[in-house]
Amino acid sequence: MPATTKTEARQTTVQNPESPVSQLADLILTQAVRDRASDVHVDPEPRALRIRFRVDGVLYDIAPPPKHLHPFIVSRVKVMGNMDIADSRVPQDGHFQLTVDNRVIEARVSTMPTIHGENVAVRLLDSQEMNIPLEGLGLPALMMPQVQKLIRRPHGLLVVTGPTGSGKSTTLYAMLSKARSPERHIITVEDPVERRLEQVTQIQVNEKAGLSFAGALRNVLRQDPPDALMVGEIRDNETAQLAIRATLTGHLVFSTVHTNDAPGAVTRLINIAVEPFLLSSSLIAAIGQRLARKVCAECRTSTPVPAAMRKRLAAAGVSPPPALPRGRGCTHCRQTGYRGRVAVFELMDVTPAVADLILTGATTARIRTQALRDGMTSLFEDGLRKVADGVTSLEEVFRIAEIEESQGTPRQPLELEESPP
């Protein structure tokens, strides 16, 4: 059969939602949602097809369908995402919605050509899971008043940093929900709009139609200027310049950048050509965050701290108790000992001393040292507090944060009390 005829036949099959391959693709996505997966990966290999779910930040293999169904599954997902199924030579992006158990799930699709065929990654966003109040995020008790004060500021730039999938959007939505009121005009520019908020004007970026972050921002600032503005992500110089300009003309701007920690936001913004003197006068704070897996409540137990780990903690000035929480592993948590995730935070307030370092082009390490002197709690320290509360494990804290973060700065020794069994 000629190649064009094969493509046409496949297109006819995958466009029919009642066809077996369409039902198979729907079943895979439905099972991913029910398994609490944040991502689905369809990876072609030389002799097999590999399908994996990312649950609580870790990838798990599921029983794959036969390899010959790979092009049909890819095409079905591309049809759902309104993408071109006839072109498999270039990367493509799309999105769609699906409803599972009366929950509306936003799906972002990305395809990539590989030597064995097209790879597909689907990010699943559950708007219900993003509906978390500010008090429910897991912010440390000392940090909560700082954040509440920041979102009431009349102007300035507040950025949330962290890798993809670290919960930055959830944090932004929680802050916006706290900041909104009938007296405040709040606008968001997002790609995509992941959660609908009342009393907030939300704009969906559409690159194909010519509406970019920068283009939307320019038009927003021409209208009746908002009291607060949320930019989904600062990706380039033009978006950064417009966000900075908004803060300097009396607006409060929330946004995200991809960096390893809160002080790294300064270096990232300067690298995309934001002038240090503008950044030092506009940036009010940076919040760094990661997601750590929570110890499974069904099989939670206590275990002694290994000698090697105790030595590492002692070098960082941490005195752990004799035993700390651990999950034994059960059917409830897929034998991993973990179920669900909790956010771990650090908040860098831009104090006068930090602003002076930004102005002089100081390194990230110097800015971090000064921020710690000014009272910043590091990701590592917040993680240890959550270990002491029995929420997560030491292994998870070491996985998401570096122990060296708390070294080299004079601080009080951190003593952890044993969590209840």
Side-chain angles (χ1 to χ4, degrees):
M1 185 184 293
T4 54
T5 307
K6 284 183 178 180
T7 301
E8 290 171 358
R10 186 165 76 240
Q11 185 168 1
T12 301
T13 301
V14 298
Q15 285 180 338
N16 178 11
E18 302 301 322
S19 67
V21 71
S22 296
Q23 293 181 351
L24 174 61
D26 292 345
L27 179 63
I28 292 171
L29 294 172
T30 299
Q31 189 59 49
V33 172
R34 289 173 176 163
D35 285 354
R36 303 179 301 106
S38 60
D39 300 87
V40 178
H41 290 262
V42 180
D43 301 317
E45 295 185 342
R47 296 180 181 83
L49 177 61
R50 192 178 190 191
I51 296 182
R52 294 181 291 172
F53 294 168
R54 186 178 293 277
V55 181
D56 295 336
V58 178
L59 285 169
Y60 297 95
D61 284 281
I62 67 166
K67 174 69 186 290
H68 71 270
L69 292 179
H70 168 246
F72 291 94
I73 294 172
V74 172
S75 295
R76 174 58 185 169
V77 174
K78 290 171 79 171
V79 165
M80 296 170 71
N82 197 26
M83 300 153 73
D84 184 1
I85 71 168
D87 193 350
S88 59
R89 298 168 297 176
V90 296
Q92 296 187 55
D93 294 302
H95 62 87
F96 59 90
Q97 285 186 341
L98 67 154
T99 303
V100 179
D101 301 333
N102 296 319
R103 294 151 57 198
V104 177
I105 308 297
E106 182 79 27
R108 284 191 256 172
V109 188
S110 175
T111 66
M112 180 71 68
T114 73
I115 58 173
H116 301 302
E118 278 188 285
N119 163 285
V120 178
V122 182
R123 166 64 56 86
L124 300 171
L125 303 165
D126 188 342
S127 58
Q128 290 184 6
E129 290 188 359
M130 297 183 70
N131 190 18
I132 301 175
L134 189 64
E135 295 78 9
L137 287 177
L139 288 163
L142 292 175
M143 196 181 293
M144 180 64 73
Q146 293 177 272
V147 174
Q148 291 178 329
K149 183 179 177 181
L150 287 169
I151 63 179
R152 299 295 179 199
R153 292 278 291 268
H155 56 80
L157 175 63
L158 172 59
V159 296
V160 182
T161 76
T164 301
S166 60
K168 299 187 297 297
S169 296
T170 302
T171 299
L172 281 181
Y173 281 125
M175 290 192 291
L176 283 178
S177 295
K178 197 74 172 179
R180 63 184 172 174
S181 71
E183 296 79 25
R184 300 187 85 183
H185 179 32
I186 301 176
I187 294 179
T188 73
V189 182
E190 308 172 64
D191 182 22
V193 174
E194 298 174 10
R195 177 187 158 200
R196 273 61 175 174
L197 290 173
E198 294 182 1
Q199 301 177 0
V200 175
T201 302
Q202 295 175 274
I203 299 171
Q204 170 81 50
V205 168
N206 189 339
E207 297 281 357
K208 292 181 180 178
L211 182 62
S212 63
F213 275 111
L217 268 175
R218 277 195 303 271
N219 285 281
V220 164
L221 295 175
R222 288 194 195 106
Q223 294 183 352
D224 178 25
D227 300 297
L229 176 65
M230 191 266 268
V231 183
E233 182 183 347
I234 295 179
R235 299 177 176 176
D236 52 39
N237 173 256
E238 187 177 9
T239 305
Q241 294 290 353
L242 287 165
I244 294 292
R245 191 179 81 187
T247 67
L248 297 176
T249 52
H251 306 91
L252 179 62
V253 179
F254 301 87
S255 192
T256 68
V257 291
H258 287 107
T259 62
N260 290 326
D261 55 16
V266 173
T267 305
R268 171 62 181 154
L269 291 169
I270 291 175
N271 284 344
I272 56 177
V274 175
E275 293 289 348
F277 74 91
L278 291 175
L279 189 59
S280 66
S281 58
S282 59
L283 184 67
I284 56 174
I287 299 175
Q289 71 177 76
R290 293 287 194 282
L291 291 178
R293 291 182 294 173
K294 295 166 67 175
V295 173
C296 177
E298 299 296 321
C299 60
R300 183 175 177 273
T301 185
S302 295
T303 184
V305 182
M309 189 170 291
R310 187 177 292 278
K311 185 176 180 180
R312 291 179 66 188
L313 291 170
V318 179
S319 302
L324 289 174
R326 178 185 294 274
R328 290 188 300 268
C330 62
T331 55
H332 193 66
C333 61
R334 293 170 169 258
Q335 304 300 327
T336 63
Y338 299 99
R339 183 176 172 84
R341 289 190 288 181
V342 64
V344 177
F345 295 95
E346 65 180 8
L347 190 156
M348 183 188 77
D349 224 341
V350 179
T351 61
V354 170
D356 287 342
L357 289 175
I358 296 173
L359 186 61
T360 58
T363 63
T364 300
R366 285 189 61 196
I367 293 173
R368 181 172 194 82
T369 299
Q370 184 61 53
L372 289 169
R373 286 186 182 136
D374 291 344
M376 181 179 83
T377 298
S378 71
L379 287 168
F380 178 68
E381 289 175 310
D382 185 37
L384 289 180
R385 296 291 185 193
K386 288 179 169 64
V387 171
D389 292 338
V391 177
T392 187
S393 67
L394 271 176
E395 290 82 2
E396 277 295 286
V397 174
F398 284 127
R399 183 177 68 85
I400 64 171
E402 296 183 7
I403 194 171
E404 290 76 17
E405 289 178 352
S406 62
Q407 294 183 10
T409 305
R411 303 175 65 77
Q412 287 294 107
L414 185 61
E415 293 193 14
L416 302 183
E417 297 180 359
E418 186 170 5
S419 55

